[in-house]
Amino acid sequence: MKKLFAVLIVAALAVGCCSSCRWRYKNAKPLEGTVWHLVKIGGESYTFPADEFNIILNENSLGGRGACNSLLGQYATGDKYALRFSALGSTKMLCPHNEDLEMKMIQILSQTTHYDIDYDMLMLMREGEILAVFKAQ
């Protein structure tokens, strides 16, 4: 009897998790038109002011901001969540802080091959490895 009860609890939890996962993907923020704010890069978490380290994708164009420079570029999507950035550039102001991280973000964008979105989190990946995580604003 105890085994049957344990099996029923595990089954109920599994069904609950599946419906929660489906809800998260069904209600995911769109890749395009969402302001994505950097929260993790290279496995390290960061906290930035809301107007720093953001990207937005619209009609194959990338716009955004790093520590103090504007970012721009192009992107293309494909099957199975493929995502490639190209023609990446930025303004060249001298940033008093986080300039190295700004360059690292541009490098990661250029290395991205795929993405995934889990509700309000955008993960940029290369060959299954998560390079950076952005949160929808």
Side-chain angles (χ1 to χ4, degrees), residues 34-80:
T34 301
V35 175
W36 296 104
H37 184 70
L38 183 66
V39 294
K40 190 176 231 183
I41 193 167
E44 194 168 334
S45 297
Y46 292 93
T47 302
F48 302 107
D51 63 339
E52 293 182 9
F53 291 95
N54 294 318
I55 59 172
I56 186 166
L57 309 175
N58 280 315
E59 298 178 8
N60 296 351
S61 292
L62 163 77
R65 181 174 170 179
C68 67
N69 287 297
S70 295
L71 306 174
L72 57 121
Q74 303 294 312
Y75 72 94
T77 57
D79 293 340
K80 299 180 182 177

Side-chain angles (χ1 to χ4, degrees), residues 35-41 53-55 105 108-109 116 118 120-124 131-136:
V35 175
W36 296 104
H37 184 70
L38 183 66
V39 294
K40 190 176 231 183
I41 193 167
F53 291 95
N54 294 318
I55 59 172
M105 186 172 93
I108 283 180
L109 292 172
D116 195 9
D118 182 359
D120 64 347
M121 303 301 278
L122 168 65
M123 290 148 286
L124 299 183
L131 302 173
V133 178
F134 291 78
K135 183 171 176 49

Side-chain angles (χ1 to χ4, degrees), residues 10-131:
V10 169
L13 289 173
V15 169
C17 289
C18 291
S19 63
S20 174
C21 293
R22 281 193 300 270
W23 182 90
R24 290 183 68 78
Y25 277 97
K26 181 181 174 188
N27 294 293
K29 304 296 181 192
L31 178 65
E32 294 185 320
T34 301
V35 175
W36 296 104
H37 184 70
L38 183 66
V39 294
K40 190 176 231 183
I41 193 167
E44 194 168 334
S45 297
Y46 292 93
T47 302
F48 302 107
D51 63 339
E52 293 182 9
F53 291 95
N54 294 318
I55 59 172
I56 186 166
L57 309 175
N58 280 315
E59 298 178 8
N60 296 351
S61 292
L62 163 77
R65 181 174 170 179
C68 67
N69 287 297
S70 295
L71 306 174
L72 57 121
Q74 303 294 312
Y75 72 94
T77 57
D79 293 340
K80 299 180 182 177
Y81 296 95
L83 176 63
R84 297 274 185 180
F85 294 96
S86 61
L88 294 169
S90 71
T91 56
K92 303 292 183 197
M93 295 189 314
L94 182 60
C95 301
H97 63 286
N98 292 323
E99 188 171 15
D100 291 340
L101 193 57
E102 188 174 274
M103 291 307 297
K104 189 171 185 178
M105 186 172 93
I106 292 171
Q107 287 175 327
I108 283 180
L109 292 172
S110 69
Q111 296 171 359
T112 297
T113 59
H114 291 80
Y115 75 97
D116 195 9
I117 298 174
D118 182 359
Y119 183 57
D120 64 347
M121 303 301 278
L122 168 65
M123 290 148 286
L124 299 183
M125 298 178 281
R126 178 186 61 214
E127 299 173 9
E129 174 191 7
I130 297 175
L131 302 173

